[in-house]
Amino acid sequence: WMGESVTEDYNGIWSASHIECLRLPYRVYRLLINDGMTRVGDILDRPDYALMRIPGFGKKSLGDLRDNLREHGYQLAGRISNDPRGRP
């Protein structure tokens, strides 16, 4: 599965996998679970600005998540916008 793009496997087994398989730092894992994201596909559906709205989820958490997803051949839906209100 490593190295496959999101478009190739977006609806596949990897996207349906529980986020535990990503082996995220515990804090990032708990924040995502508490926000209702249990599958890798749930994370891939969210742009950066939506993740940053999770209470306690800051730039370090976002960086850790991005790095981890990149190691598995994935990337998030989008980047943080320049809009101070956090809109795309």
Side-chain angles (χ1 to χ4, degrees), residues 51-62:
L51 292 167
M52 293 292 286
R53 290 182 180 160
I54 298 171
F57 197 98
K59 289 180 181 180
K60 180 168 180 3
S61 297
L62 183 61

Side-chain angles (χ1 to χ4, degrees), residues 27-47:
R27 176 177 167 73
V28 175
Y29 172 80
R30 290 302 324 153
L31 289 169
L32 296 173
I33 290 291
N34 289 341
D35 199 59
M37 288 182 269
T38 59
R39 305 281 171 211
V40 174
D42 298 338
I43 298 169
L44 298 176
D45 283 341
R46 300 256 186 124

Side-chain angles (χ1 to χ4, degrees), residues 9-21:
D9 189 37
Y10 190 75
N11 293 314
I13 295 170
W14 180 250
S15 292
S17 298
H18 193 276
I19 66 170
E20 190 172 283
C21 70

Side-chain angles (χ1 to χ4, degrees), residues 1-10 15 44 72-75:
W1 289 318
M2 291 181 70
E4 293 179 354
S5 73
V6 173
T7 54
E8 289 175 16
D9 189 37
Y10 190 75
S15 292
L44 298 176
H72 290 89
Y74 291 92
Q75 64 182 20

